[in-house]
Structure formats: C-alpha cells, structure tokens
Amino acid sequence: MDWDKLRIFHAVADAGSLTHAGDALQLSQSAVSRQIRALEEALDTSLFHRHARGLILTEQGELLFKATKSMSRELETASARIRDSEDEVFGELRVTTTTGFGTLFLAPRLPTLYAQYPELKIDLMLEERVLDLPMREADVAIRMKEPSQADLIRKRLMNVNMRLFATSEYLRANGTPHAIEDLSDYRLISQNVTSAQVSVGAQLIRELNARPLRSTFTVNNYFGVLQAVLNHLGIGVLPDYVAEDFPELVHVLPEVASGDIPVFLAFPEELRHSRRIAAFRDFVVQEIQAYRRARQMQG
C-alpha cells in the first residue's frame, strides 16, 4: 500500500470529513477524494460510507484505521526520539493533569520553564480522565494517585491535603470559627460530591455536609471553588497548595483536613531518554521543592 495514501486515509478517518482532512493536509478536497478512491481501488473495498453529515468508516475501514493509528503512534515516538537526540530542548510536549492542579499550581509556574526553554510547545490537557500514556494520548502525566498502567516510569512528587480556607475580609465580616461545630454559622464552598475528584476529598466534603450548615455553594472544579472564596463568598474546601500563591487566604480550622493525596509524575518507559521529559520533570521537582521550603518557613 502507498504510504502517502495511507497518511491521507488516516487524516480523513480521523476528521470524518474530506474538507477538514484537506485543510489539515493542505490539499484540496478533490485531491483528497482522488487519493481515497485510488486506495479503495487498490484494496478492492469501500473504506467509508458517505452521507450528508460526513463519512463513516466501513468495517474494512475500521480495520485499516486501527492499523494507521498504530503506525502514527510509532512514527510519533520515533520522531520524538530523533528530536530528543539533539542538544537543545524544543518541540511539543503533551502534559495531562487534573483541572485543579493544572490551573492552580502548574500553569502559574510555567513561565519559569518557558524562560529556560523558549522553544518548547506545551499542550496542557486538563481533565479528570486518566489518559493512556503507553498509547501516546499524552507524553507525561501528573496525577493524584499512583498510575496503575504498566511500562510507566513514575515519581512521587508530594502529598496534598484538602483543607478549609477563607479570606480575611470574609472572616472580619462573619467572625472566625474556632471549632468544627461553628461551621453551622457559615457558608461552605466545595466541589459537588458527584464531580470527578479524589475519594478522600469527596469524603471530607460529605462529612462536612452531614453537619447543619447555614448555606452552601457547590461547583464542579476547584478553580471555581477558589474564585468563590477569593470573592468572600464563604469558607472553601481547597487543596492546601493554594495557600502559597494566594496569601490573602486564611487557613481555617487546621484540625479539619482530608487524608493524604499522593501526587505522581509519570511517563512512558520509551521516553526515558527524552530531553523534553527530563526538562519538564526537573522543572516540576524544583517548583515543588521551592513550595515545600516556603511552607516550612511559614510553619
């Protein structure tokens, strides 16, 4: 089979449209269509069902798409290894982590990494779903539990605990609680327990909501919880690392905390010698060490 035709087929199957595939490949729709017809003739089979809303793979098309996806991943890995054999750190690095950690800890610190490696192109994917690193859905992951997938290099970075925070302005207006029983006089801000989150965080929220509360506000991610707290809406359940970057937050009821949440960095074994991975790993480790030192000084 012609490699170029397979490349075009893969783009069409991925996009589900001749037009979108042509845009991605910088080819005209008619040129893409000719290549697909030629491939179908060479294989003596139909690869797509054509209808008004786009293209759907036939059973034979699905088999071929599965093969081209595997080929594409292998080529991406080979390309990454070739690029990483250079002395300089550059190119795309796909990083996945949770919405909370990515928005509240990682993203604010990335200028330090870019200052050192200005030619890096980081694609930061924030979602609670665990992406498949061996299948190259991402290059490196930071997760709130130890990865269970095989063939991953993993490093434990730190522990996080969920704690209670409010602004000094809110506490001046409403008073400061001195015992957990006092929370009944305040508004509690938290993630909804049905939102994707670590189990010990959800458990703490359930325990707090089991108490009589004057008012509550729930949101489906920690960034929303933080914004509500910063705007003096109430006392929020937040990861303890937010205190470092938001000095206006006051730690309330220190005895109230979730269990430990381990934070792991992981990447595929095949990228062990990647200079981009090493640069990112070293950056994250250094930032966490700086965060720990700041916490010790505050303590």
Side-chain angles (χ1 to χ4, degrees):
M1 285 182 279
D2 186 303
W3 282 95
D4 199 48
K5 289 184 177 64
L6 289 176
R7 177 177 68 91
I8 293 171
F9 162 79
H10 182 79
V12 173
D14 193 45
S17 160
L18 294 172
T19 303
H20 292 155
D23 291 342
L25 297 167
Q26 296 184 318
L27 295 172
S28 68
Q29 180 178 336
S30 59
V32 173
S33 180
R34 283 196 301 273
Q35 294 288 348
I36 294 299
R37 279 201 303 273
L39 182 60
E40 289 179 325
E41 289 171 4
L43 295 172
D44 193 25
T45 190
S46 294
L47 299 172
F48 296 97
H49 295 299
R50 294 159 174 82
H51 62 86
R53 291 176 295 174
L55 301 174
I56 297 177
L57 287 165
T58 62
E59 183 178 353
Q60 293 79 8
E62 289 281 4
L63 287 171
L64 187 58
F65 187 43
K66 183 177 180 181
T68 59
K69 280 198 291 188
S70 178
M71 291 161 55
S72 178
R73 284 193 297 269
E74 290 294 329
L75 287 171
E76 284 179 7
T77 299
S79 177
R81 283 183 165 178
I82 291 168
R83 289 196 305 271
D84 286 332
S85 68
E86 303 292 335
D87 290 335
E88 297 181 14
V89 175
F90 70 98
E92 185 180 54
L93 182 67
R94 296 171 298 166
V95 179
T96 177
T97 189
T98 60
T99 302
F101 191 84
T103 56
L104 302 182
F105 187 91
L106 184 60
R109 290 166 169 79
L110 285 176
T112 302
L113 180 63
Y114 274 107
Q116 189 172 2
Y117 304 109
E119 294 185 21
L120 265 181
K121 299 176 182 177
I122 295 177
D123 180 11
L124 183 57
M125 295 171 278
L126 303 179
E127 53 183 302
E128 310 314 308
R129 181 173 68 94
V130 177
L131 299 187
D132 193 330
L133 297 183
M135 295 298 285
R136 298 306 307 278
E137 289 187 327
D139 299 316
V140 59
I142 299 176
R143 284 291 163 191
M144 305 301 115
K145 63 179 180 179
E146 184 169 7
S148 59
Q149 293 168 302
D151 302 322
L152 292 181
I153 296 173
R154 62 207 72 198
K155 179 178 179 60
R156 188 164 185 161
L157 298 172
M158 64 176 179
N159 286 331
V160 172
N161 300 98
M162 304 303 299
R163 299 183 184 274
L164 295 175
F165 294 92
T167 59
S168 55
E169 182 174 329
Y170 177 81
L171 297 175
R172 278 197 302 271
N174 297 274
T176 300
H178 298 290
I180 193 169
E181 292 77 16
D182 297 339
L183 285 178
S184 59
D185 297 325
Y186 299 84
R187 180 176 298 110
L188 183 70
I189 305 169
S190 69
Q191 279 216 78
N192 190 305
V193 290
T194 60
S195 301
Q197 58 187 303
V198 293
S199 59
V200 293
Q203 178 61 29
L204 176 61
I205 292 169
R206 279 193 291 268
E207 291 172 0
L208 293 173
N209 276 286
R211 297 177 170 277
L213 297 170
R214 186 183 70 181
S215 175
T216 61
F217 174 70
T218 58
V219 64
N220 65 347
N221 65 61
Y222 291 126
F223 183 71
V225 174
L226 175 63
Q227 291 303 307
V229 173
L230 290 175
N231 285 280
H232 325 299
L233 187 62
I235 298 175
V237 181
L238 286 164
D240 52 10
Y241 55 73
V242 299
E244 175 65 19
D245 294 333
F246 299 93
E248 60 267 50
L249 293 178
V250 178
H251 186 191
V252 177
L253 298 177
E255 71 275 15
V256 177
S258 73
D260 288 344
I261 302 165
V263 181
F264 280 86
L265 182 144
F267 53 91
E269 172 73 33
E270 64 193 23
L271 294 179
R272 173 187 290 274
H273 301 294
S274 164
R275 295 183 184 275
R276 289 168 298 139
I277 295 285
F280 181 79
R281 178 200 61 211
D282 292 347
F283 151 74
V284 172
V285 169
Q286 289 165 10
E287 290 297 325
I288 287 176
Q289 287 173 344
Y291 159 74
R292 284 174 172 162
R293 285 194 298 269
R295 285 195 65 181
Q296 289 170 356
M297 290 175 64
Q298 291 171 359

